[in-house]
Amino acid sequence: MIDITLTEEQRIIKDMVERFTEKEIAPIASEIDEEEKFPEEIFRKKMGEAGLLGVLMPREYGGSDAGVVAATVVIEVISKVSASVALSFGAHSVLCANNLKENCSPEQKERYLPALISGEAIGAMALTEPGAGSDAMGITTTARNEGDEFVLNGTKTLITNGPVADVLLVYAKSPACTDQRIPISAFIVEKDSPGFSVGKRIHKMGMRGSPVSEIIFEDCRVPFENLIGKEGQALKMLWSGLNVERVTLSGICLGILHSCLDTASHYARERQQFGRPIAEFQMVQKMIADMSTSKTAAHLMIYYAAQEADKGRRINREAAEAKLFSSEAATRAALDTIQILGGYGYTREFPVERWMRDAKLMEIGAGTSQIMRYIIAKELLSSP
């Protein structure tokens, strides 16, 4: 039997995040979207002071070490108000900081984790390239070993937090590692590194308050001590990090599902047509029933996978299933909520159209729905 009851610590974190988002983020959620505004002061100062940025981080560096379930809770709660802020939180705390925690040397952790936890530094992960999205192994950014430093060349794109990041986890190929089939290396790159620059900022349909840009490496010089692990052997690190990313970021979908169901249900009870509330119409009831069922199923799938991750278990299939189902369910729920609100749903006076735009990204980022289906089928069909 699956038990997804939150622990006392996780409930305390949830209550705290709810109070924080209601006070700090909710009043400016529309502004964040409309102005494509990253709330840098809230992110760097207030989220750091509240302890949100350290939810996955070890206590010795200032974190709370609360685990994957707690991080998913934080993302879900923030997403009910602003999926943009939740996405930037995930890029910072999960894609960057958590991967550093799991794979860096003690010296590297001591140097970088405290600043990421406090908000003094904002983190990002740079993997995607113009010619390598779903095919992550097709990256062409290279890292040339020159003894006491590496020289990186290439371009990354669609990097969440790219325009504001101080510290980036960067994946590149090491051509000199001929003993490896896919010689991927991982590096910590600081924004003031020689040869590093932020390229054009990319304007998106949704998640507009989560900044995205190109990252350019032109003979970018990175100290040898910023290599994570061994040269050419970061492939396992890359795959394990993607699973945690998929589970936690699925919390965004769950947050959107919550908001859609609440709004659709309230509106259906209040809106009168043909002399009675539209909640009495069977087609409206069907959409609301489907939303509720999807929310419950997504909740179970996401938090089961998160619990398994906290136990250190392999979650390739579970993470893919959670992300696939929740992302597609969130998009359907947003579209159905717009339909229930009718003309009002299509206006920008209600946040539903924002939820629809935000939800669609979740079928693409962190692995498309097509890639998720491929992973699920491969896991099932390769088992005896």
Side-chain angles (χ1 to χ4, degrees):
M1 180 178 177
I2 300 174
D3 181 6
I4 56 167
T5 304
L6 297 181
T7 65
E8 180 64 22
E9 180 187 22
Q10 290 161 355
R11 285 196 298 272
I12 291 171
I13 291 172
K14 182 177 181 179
D15 291 343
M16 182 269 289
V17 180
E18 286 176 340
R19 292 192 299 270
F20 180 90
T21 54
E22 188 63 29
K23 178 183 177 183
E24 303 291 348
I25 302 174
I28 61 171
S30 295
E31 180 184 339
I32 287 171
D33 176 71
E34 290 173 6
E35 299 181 9
E36 300 189 36
K37 178 181 178 181
F38 175 67
E40 191 159 350
E41 181 180 354
I42 290 175
F43 202 95
R44 285 189 183 274
K45 191 173 189 298
K46 295 182 179 180
M47 291 179 76
E49 289 177 352
L52 299 185
L53 303 181
V55 68
L56 283 164
M57 297 297 101
R59 295 181 186 276
E60 62 260 39
Y61 301 110
S64 59
D65 201 16
V68 177
V69 169
T72 307
V73 166
V74 173
I75 289 176
E76 176 191 347
V77 172
I78 295 175
S79 296
K80 293 179 185 178
V81 173
S82 173
S84 288
V85 176
L87 181 62
S88 278
F89 170 87
H92 171 94
S93 296
V94 181
L95 278 67
C96 181
N98 189 60
N99 274 314
L100 299 190
K101 178 199 79 173
E102 292 292 335
N103 299 285
C104 282
S105 67
E107 293 77 17
Q108 290 170 330
K109 293 177 186 179
E110 184 66 39
R111 180 174 178 182
Y112 291 103
L113 292 188
L116 291 168
I117 292 167
S118 69
E120 178 185 346
I122 293 177
M125 182 182 78
L127 172 62
T128 302
E129 297 182 2
S134 294
D135 179 16
M137 299 303 95
I139 61 173
T140 58
T141 297
T142 60
R144 185 174 72 251
N145 188 335
E146 293 195 350
D148 60 348
E149 62 184 6
F150 287 88
V151 179
L152 275 59
N153 280 285
T155 299
K156 302 292 184 177
T157 193
L158 295 169
I159 305 305
T160 301
N161 291 354
V164 296
D166 305 289
V167 176
L168 297 95
L169 166 60
V170 178
Y171 289 98
K173 281 189 174 175
S174 294
C177 296
T178 55
D179 58 328
Q180 299 292 317
R181 186 174 67 88
I182 305 177
I184 303 292
S185 297
F187 303 90
I188 304 169
V189 180
E190 299 179 29
K191 69 175 183 180
D192 57 357
S193 300
F196 173 93
S197 63
V198 175
K200 70 175 181 180
R201 183 160 177 162
I202 299 168
H203 301 280
K204 309 187 300 297
M205 179 177 82
M207 302 287 195
R208 290 156 53 93
S210 180
V212 169
S213 70
E214 293 180 334
I215 298 295
I216 300 169
F217 305 96
E218 295 178 304
D219 287 335
C220 177
R221 298 192 172 272
V222 179
F224 185 86
E225 57 265 28
N226 282 27
L227 169 69
I228 302 174
K230 295 182 179 180
E231 184 181 4
Q233 297 183 25
L235 198 56
K236 183 178 179 181
M237 168 184 166
L238 171 59
W239 289 133
S240 63
L242 286 174
N243 282 332
V244 175
E245 172 190 355
R246 286 163 182 160
V247 172
T248 52
L249 291 186
S250 293
I252 293 176
C253 308
L254 194 52
I256 292 172
L257 279 163
H258 272 289
S259 295
C260 287
L261 180 60
D262 288 348
T263 298
S265 299
H266 177 78
Y267 187 86
R269 287 191 293 264
E270 297 294 324
R271 176 66 167 172
Q272 297 275 334
Q273 290 288 277
F274 305 103
R276 54 183 175 146
I278 64 171
E280 295 182 9
F281 301 149
Q282 288 184 347
M283 289 188 180
V284 172
Q285 292 173 354
K286 177 189 181 301
M287 287 188 281
I288 290 175
D290 287 348
M291 260 184 250
S292 179
T293 302
S294 293
K295 180 177 74 69
T296 300
H299 182 86
L300 289 168
M301 296 171 75
I302 292 166
Y303 281 103
Y304 171 70
Q307 285 184 341
E308 293 296 285
D310 276 334
K311 294 173 184 175
R313 293 175 180 168
R314 188 174 183 272
I315 57 165
N316 284 31
R317 179 171 60 84
E318 292 83 355
E321 288 176 341
K323 183 183 178 298
L324 171 65
F325 181 84
S326 64
S327 62
E328 295 189 348
T331 302
R332 284 195 306 270
L335 288 169
D336 282 348
T337 303
I338 290 173
Q339 196 72 18
I340 289 170
L341 269 63
Y344 292 113
Y346 198 69
T347 70
R348 300 186 71 175
E349 292 184 21
F350 287 81
V352 188
E353 57 86 29
R354 165 160 53 94
W355 300 336
M356 182 272 293
R357 290 185 284 107
D358 291 346
K360 186 59 187 177
L361 178 62
M362 300 310 300
E363 296 182 55
I364 300 169
T368 65
S369 291
Q370 289 73 25
I371 291 296
M372 295 303 99
R373 287 184 167 89
Y374 168 76
I375 292 170
I376 294 164
K378 184 179 179 182
E379 288 288 312
L380 288 171
L381 297 175
S382 62
S383 300

Coordinates of all heavy atoms in Angstrom, one line a residue, residues 162-213:
G162 N 19.4 31.5 -16.7 CA 20.7 31.9 -17.4 C 21.0 33.3 -17.3 O 22.2 33.6 -17.0
P163 N 20.1 34.3 -17.4 CA 20.4 35.7 -17.3 C 20.8 36.1 -16.0 O 21.5 37.2 -15.8 CB 19.2 36.4 -17.8 CG 18.4 35.4 -18.6 CD 18.7 34.1 -17.9
V164 N 20.4 35.4 -14.9 CA 20.7 35.9 -13.5 C 21.6 35.0 -12.7 O 21.9 35.3 -11.6 CB 19.3 36.0 -12.8 CG1 18.5 37.1 -13.4 CG2 18.6 34.7 -12.7
A165 N 22.0 33.9 -13.3 CA 22.8 32.9 -12.6 C 24.2 33.4 -12.3 O 24.9 34.0 -13.1 CB 22.9 31.6 -13.3
D166 N 24.7 33.1 -11.1 CA 26.1 33.3 -10.7 C 26.9 32.1 -10.8 O 28.1 32.2 -11.0 CB 26.1 33.8 -9.2 CG 25.2 35.0 -9.0 OD1 25.5 36.1 -9.5 OD2 24.1 34.9 -8.4
V167 N 26.3 30.9 -10.6 CA 27.0 29.6 -10.6 C 26.2 28.7 -11.5 O 25.0 28.5 -11.4 CB 27.1 29.0 -9.2 CG1 27.7 27.7 -9.2 CG2 27.9 30.0 -8.3
L168 N 26.9 28.0 -12.4 CA 26.3 27.1 -13.4 C 26.9 25.8 -13.3 O 28.2 25.7 -13.3 CB 26.3 27.7 -14.8 CG 25.6 29.0 -15.0 CD1 26.5 30.2 -14.9 CD2 24.9 29.0 -16.4
L169 N 26.1 24.7 -13.3 CA 26.6 23.4 -13.6 C 26.5 23.2 -15.1 O 25.4 23.2 -15.7 CB 25.6 22.4 -12.9 CG 25.8 20.9 -13.2 CD1 27.2 20.4 -13.0 CD2 24.7 20.1 -12.5
V170 N 27.7 22.9 -15.7 CA 27.8 22.9 -17.1 C 28.3 21.5 -17.6 O 29.2 20.9 -17.0 CB 28.8 23.9 -17.7 CG1 28.9 23.8 -19.2 CG2 28.3 25.3 -17.3
Y171 N 27.6 20.9 -18.5 CA 28.0 19.6 -19.1 C 28.6 19.9 -20.5 O 28.1 20.7 -21.3 CB 26.8 18.7 -19.3 CG 26.2 18.2 -18.0 CD1 25.1 18.8 -17.4 CD2 26.8 17.1 -17.4 CE1 24.6 18.3 -16.2 CE2 26.3 16.6 -16.2 CZ 25.2 17.2 -15.6 OH 24.7 16.7 -14.4
A172 N 29.7 19.2 -20.7 CA 30.5 19.3 -22.0 C 31.1 18.0 -22.3 O 31.3 17.2 -21.5 CB 31.5 20.5 -21.9
K173 N 31.5 17.9 -23.6 CA 32.2 16.7 -24.0 C 33.7 16.9 -23.9 O 34.2 18.0 -24.2 CB 31.8 16.3 -25.5 CG 30.5 15.6 -25.6 CD 30.2 15.1 -26.9 CE 28.9 14.3 -26.9 NZ 28.6 13.8 -28.3
S174 N 34.4 15.8 -23.5 CA 35.9 15.8 -23.4 C 36.4 14.9 -24.5 O 36.6 13.7 -24.3 CB 36.3 15.3 -22.0 OG 35.9 16.2 -21.0
P175 N 36.8 15.5 -25.6 CA 37.3 14.7 -26.7 C 38.5 13.9 -26.4 O 38.7 12.8 -27.1 CB 37.6 15.7 -27.8 CG 36.8 16.9 -27.4 CD 36.7 16.9 -25.9
A176 N 39.3 14.3 -25.5 CA 40.5 13.6 -25.2 C 40.2 12.2 -24.5 O 41.1 11.4 -24.5 CB 41.4 14.4 -24.3
C177 N 39.0 12.1 -23.9 CA 38.7 10.8 -23.2 C 38.2 9.8 -24.2 O 37.1 9.4 -24.2 CB 37.7 11.1 -22.1 SG 38.2 12.2 -20.8
T178 N 39.2 9.2 -24.9 CA 38.8 8.3 -26.0 C 38.4 6.9 -25.4 O 37.9 6.1 -26.1 CB 40.0 8.1 -26.9 OG1 41.2 7.7 -26.1 CG2 40.3 9.4 -27.7
D179 N 38.6 6.7 -24.1 CA 38.3 5.4 -23.5 C 36.8 5.4 -23.1 O 36.3 4.3 -22.7 CB 39.1 5.1 -22.3 CG 39.0 6.2 -21.2 OD1 38.8 7.4 -21.6 OD2 39.1 5.8 -20.0
Q180 N 36.1 6.5 -23.2 CA 34.7 6.5 -22.9 C 33.8 6.6 -24.1 O 34.1 7.4 -25.1 CB 34.4 7.8 -22.0 CG 35.2 7.8 -20.7 CD 34.7 6.7 -19.7 OE1 33.5 6.5 -19.6 NE2 35.7 6.0 -19.1
R181 N 32.7 5.9 -24.2 CA 31.8 5.9 -25.3 C 31.2 7.2 -25.5 O 31.2 7.8 -26.6 CB 30.8 4.8 -25.2 CG 29.9 4.6 -26.4 CD 28.9 3.5 -26.3 NE 27.9 3.7 -25.2 CZ 26.8 4.3 -25.4 NH1 26.5 4.8 -26.6 NH2 25.9 4.5 -24.4
I182 N 30.7 7.8 -24.4 CA 30.2 9.2 -24.5 C 30.9 10.0 -23.4 O 30.5 10.0 -22.2 CB 28.7 9.2 -24.3 CG1 28.0 8.3 -25.3 CG2 28.1 10.6 -24.4 CD1 26.5 8.2 -25.1
P183 N 32.0 10.6 -23.7 CA 32.8 11.3 -22.7 C 32.3 12.6 -22.2 O 32.8 13.7 -22.6 CB 34.2 11.5 -23.4 CG 33.8 11.7 -24.9 CD 32.6 10.8 -25.1
I184 N 31.3 12.6 -21.4 CA 30.7 13.8 -20.8 C 31.4 14.2 -19.5 O 31.6 13.3 -18.6 CB 29.2 13.6 -20.5 CG1 28.4 13.2 -21.8 CG2 28.6 14.9 -19.9 CD1 28.4 14.2 -22.9
S185 N 31.7 15.4 -19.4 CA 32.3 16.0 -18.1 C 31.4 17.0 -17.6 O 30.6 17.7 -18.3 CB 33.7 16.6 -18.4 OG 34.6 15.6 -18.8
A186 N 31.5 17.3 -16.3 CA 30.7 18.3 -15.6 C 31.6 19.3 -14.9 O 32.6 18.9 -14.3 CB 29.7 17.6 -14.6
F187 N 31.2 20.5 -15.0 CA 32.0 21.6 -14.4 C 31.1 22.6 -13.6 O 30.0 22.8 -13.9 CB 32.7 22.4 -15.5 CG 33.6 21.5 -16.4 CD1 33.1 20.9 -17.5 CD2 34.9 21.3 -16.0 CE1 33.9 20.1 -18.3 CE2 35.7 20.5 -16.8 CZ 35.2 19.9 -18.0
I188 N 31.8 23.2 -12.6 CA 31.2 24.4 -12.0 C 31.8 25.6 -12.7 O 33.0 25.8 -12.7 CB 31.5 24.4 -10.5 CG1 31.0 23.1 -9.8 CG2 30.8 25.6 -9.8 CD1 31.5 23.0 -8.4
V189 N 30.9 26.5 -13.3 CA 31.4 27.6 -14.0 C 30.8 28.9 -13.3 O 29.5 28.9 -13.2 CB 31.0 27.6 -15.5 CG1 31.5 28.8 -16.2 CG2 31.6 26.3 -16.1
E190 N 31.6 29.8 -13.0 CA 31.1 31.1 -12.4 C 30.9 32.1 -13.5 O 31.6 32.1 -14.6 CB 32.1 31.6 -11.4 CG 32.3 30.7 -10.2 CD 33.3 31.2 -9.2 OE1 33.5 32.4 -9.1 OE2 34.0 30.4 -8.6
K191 N 29.9 33.0 -13.3 CA 29.6 33.9 -14.4 C 30.7 34.9 -14.8 O 30.7 35.4 -15.9 CB 28.3 34.7 -14.0 CG 28.6 35.7 -12.9 CD 27.3 36.6 -12.6 CE 27.6 37.6 -11.5 NZ 26.4 38.5 -11.2
D192 N 31.7 35.1 -13.9 CA 32.7 36.0 -14.2 C 34.0 35.3 -14.8 O 35.1 35.9 -14.9 CB 33.1 36.9 -13.0 CG 33.6 36.1 -11.8 OD1 33.5 34.8 -11.9 OD2 33.9 36.6 -10.8
S193 N 33.8 34.0 -15.2 CA 34.9 33.3 -15.8 C 35.3 33.9 -17.1 O 34.4 34.3 -17.9 CB 34.5 31.8 -16.0 OG 34.2 31.2 -14.8
P194 N 36.6 34.0 -17.4 CA 37.0 34.5 -18.7 C 36.4 33.7 -19.9 O 36.5 32.5 -19.8 CB 38.5 34.4 -18.7 CG 38.9 34.4 -17.2 CD 37.7 33.7 -16.5
G195 N 35.8 34.4 -20.9 CA 35.3 33.6 -22.0 C 33.8 33.2 -21.8 O 33.2 32.6 -22.7
F196 N 33.2 33.5 -20.6 CA 31.8 33.2 -20.4 C 31.0 34.4 -20.7 O 31.3 35.6 -20.3 CB 31.6 32.8 -18.9 CG 30.2 32.6 -18.5 CD1 29.6 31.4 -18.6 CD2 29.4 33.7 -18.1 CE1 28.3 31.2 -18.2 CE2 28.1 33.5 -17.7 CZ 27.5 32.3 -17.8
S197 N 29.8 34.2 -21.4 CA 28.9 35.4 -21.6 C 27.5 34.8 -21.7 O 27.3 33.7 -22.0 CB 29.3 36.1 -22.8 OG 29.2 35.3 -24.0
V198 N 26.6 35.7 -21.4 CA 25.1 35.4 -21.5 C 24.7 35.9 -22.9 O 24.9 37.1 -23.2 CB 24.3 36.1 -20.4 CG1 22.8 35.9 -20.7 CG2 24.7 35.6 -19.0
G199 N 24.1 35.0 -23.7 CA 23.7 35.4 -25.0 C 22.3 36.0 -25.0 O 21.9 36.6 -23.9
K200 N 21.6 35.9 -26.0 CA 20.3 36.6 -26.1 C 19.3 36.0 -25.1 O 19.3 34.8 -24.9 CB 19.7 36.5 -27.5 CG 19.3 35.1 -28.0 CD 18.6 35.1 -29.3 CE 18.2 33.7 -29.8 NZ 17.5 33.7 -31.1
R201 N 18.5 36.9 -24.6 CA 17.4 36.4 -23.7 C 16.3 35.9 -24.5 O 15.9 36.5 -25.6 CB 16.9 37.6 -22.8 CG 15.9 37.1 -21.8 CD 15.8 38.1 -20.6 NE 14.7 37.7 -19.7 CZ 14.6 38.2 -18.5 NH1 15.5 39.0 -18.0 NH2 13.6 37.8 -17.7
I202 N 15.7 34.8 -24.1 CA 14.6 34.1 -24.9 C 13.3 34.4 -24.3 O 13.1 34.2 -23.1 CB 14.9 32.6 -25.0 CG1 16.3 32.4 -25.7 CG2 13.8 31.9 -25.8 CD1 16.8 31.0 -25.6
H203 N 12.3 34.9 -25.1 CA 11.0 35.3 -24.6 C 10.1 34.1 -24.9 O 10.0 33.6 -26.0 CB 10.5 36.5 -25.3 CG 11.4 37.7 -25.0 ND1 11.4 38.4 -23.9 CD2 12.4 38.2 -25.8 CE1 12.3 39.4 -23.9 NE2 12.9 39.3 -25.1
K204 N 9.4 33.6 -23.8 CA 8.6 32.4 -23.9 C 7.1 32.7 -23.9 O 6.6 33.8 -23.4 CB 8.9 31.5 -22.7 CG 10.4 31.2 -22.5 CD 10.7 30.2 -21.5 CE 10.2 30.5 -20.1 NZ 10.8 31.7 -19.5
M205 N 6.3 31.7 -24.3 CA 4.9 31.8 -24.2 C 4.4 31.8 -22.8 O 3.5 32.5 -22.4 CB 4.3 30.6 -25.0 CG 2.7 30.5 -25.0 SD 2.1 29.2 -26.0 CE 2.2 27.8 -24.8
G206 N 4.9 30.9 -22.0 CA 4.6 30.8 -20.6 C 5.8 30.8 -19.7 O 6.9 31.0 -20.2
M207 N 5.6 30.6 -18.4 CA 6.7 30.7 -17.4 C 7.5 32.0 -17.7 O 8.7 32.0 -17.6 CB 7.6 29.5 -17.5 CG 6.9 28.2 -17.3 SD 6.5 27.9 -15.6 CE 6.1 26.1 -15.7
R208 N 6.8 33.1 -18.0 CA 7.5 34.3 -18.4 C 8.3 35.0 -17.4 O 9.2 35.8 -17.7 CB 6.4 35.3 -19.0 CG 5.8 34.8 -20.3 CD 4.4 35.4 -20.5 NE 4.4 36.8 -20.4 CZ 4.5 37.7 -21.4 NH1 4.7 37.2 -22.7 NH2 4.5 39.0 -21.3
G209 N 8.1 34.7 -16.1 CA 8.9 35.3 -15.1 C 10.1 34.5 -14.7 O 10.8 34.9 -13.8
S210 N 10.3 33.4 -15.3 CA 11.5 32.6 -15.1 C 12.4 32.8 -16.3 O 12.2 32.3 -17.4 CB 11.1 31.1 -15.0 OG 12.2 30.3 -14.8
P211 N 13.5 33.6 -16.1 CA 14.3 34.1 -17.2 C 15.1 32.9 -17.9 O 15.6 32.0 -17.2 CB 15.3 35.1 -16.5 CG 15.4 34.6 -15.1 CD 14.0 34.1 -14.8
V212 N 15.2 33.0 -19.2 CA 15.8 32.0 -20.0 C 16.7 32.7 -21.0 O 16.4 33.7 -21.6 CB 14.8 31.1 -20.7 CG1 15.4 30.2 -21.8 CG2 14.0 30.3 -19.7
S213 N 17.9 32.1 -21.3 CA 18.8 32.7 -22.3 C 19.8 31.7 -22.9 O 19.8 30.5 -22.4 CB 19.6 33.8 -21.6 OG 20.6 33.2 -20.7

